[in-house]
Amino acid sequence: MNQTSAEQQADTAADIPEEQLNRAIEELRGALRDEAGKASDDSSRHERQATPNAAVVMNIPVEVQIVLGSTEMQVSELLALQQGSTVALNRRIGEPVDVVVNGRRIARGEITVLESDPSRFGIKLTEIITAAKPA
């Protein structure tokens, strides 16, 4: 059976030791911090400084989630949900949302409308989490 490119990359990710992935994540975080204070034309300098560890993981797909909030409910409440039901979350409007990559919270940010497409929204990062912990 032939594997798709994404499946092959996922298999590759499973073969990389967690310590190496964590090191690469820290390097990427450092690059994000550097970029926050510099103009976008510095990007070629960061590419030249990339380490072999970063090169290994650059093409591996990761799952990125923006967590608006969560709630707890009983199974009976869950089964009673239907189209049009409202589920109250544990966060209020204006509170930061979490940016989670492969189950680890890496940043927090605020929801914003995209200037290039006002019909879509995105996240403006306000904080990079230095010690990533499972979400």
Side-chain angles (χ1 to χ4, degrees):
M1 186 180 272
N2 291 336
Q3 286 186 319
T4 66
S5 177
E7 289 171 333
Q8 290 169 343
Q9 288 175 341
D11 288 345
T12 302
D15 295 339
I16 297 173
E18 185 172 346
E19 179 181 313
Q20 191 175 6
L21 283 173
N22 287 337
R23 231 183 356 252
I25 289 169
E26 287 303 317
E27 290 172 12
L28 292 172
R29 263 198 210 105
L32 283 173
R33 274 189 232 106
D34 290 345
E35 284 296 319
K38 298 182 185 203
S40 62
D41 60 354
D42 285 345
S43 64
S44 62
R45 181 177 62 83
H46 289 290
E47 290 172 10
R48 289 191 302 271
Q49 291 179 348
T51 65
N53 290 333
V56 170
V57 298
M58 289 307 216
N59 289 324
I60 297 173
V62 294
E63 179 180 335
V64 178
Q65 297 175 329
I66 307 303
V67 181
L68 297 174
S70 63
T71 192
E72 280 190 21
M73 61 177 56
Q74 296 175 347
V75 172
S76 60
E77 294 172 312
L78 181 66
L79 293 174
L81 291 177
Q82 56 186 320
Q83 187 173 351
S85 295
T86 300
V87 177
L89 302 176
N90 63 344
R91 295 206 179 141
R92 298 191 184 284
I93 294 173
E95 286 186 47
V97 296
D98 291 330
V99 179
V100 178
V101 176
N102 285 352
R104 292 181 184 257
R105 187 175 69 194
I106 65 156
R108 298 182 85 188
E110 57 189 40
I111 298 172
T112 184
V113 175
L114 298 179
E115 289 180 16
S116 60
D117 183 356
S119 68
R120 298 179 62 204
F121 62 93
I123 303 299
K124 179 180 178 183
L125 297 182
T126 57
E127 175 187 2
I128 303 293
I129 309 295
T130 54
K133 296 178 181 145

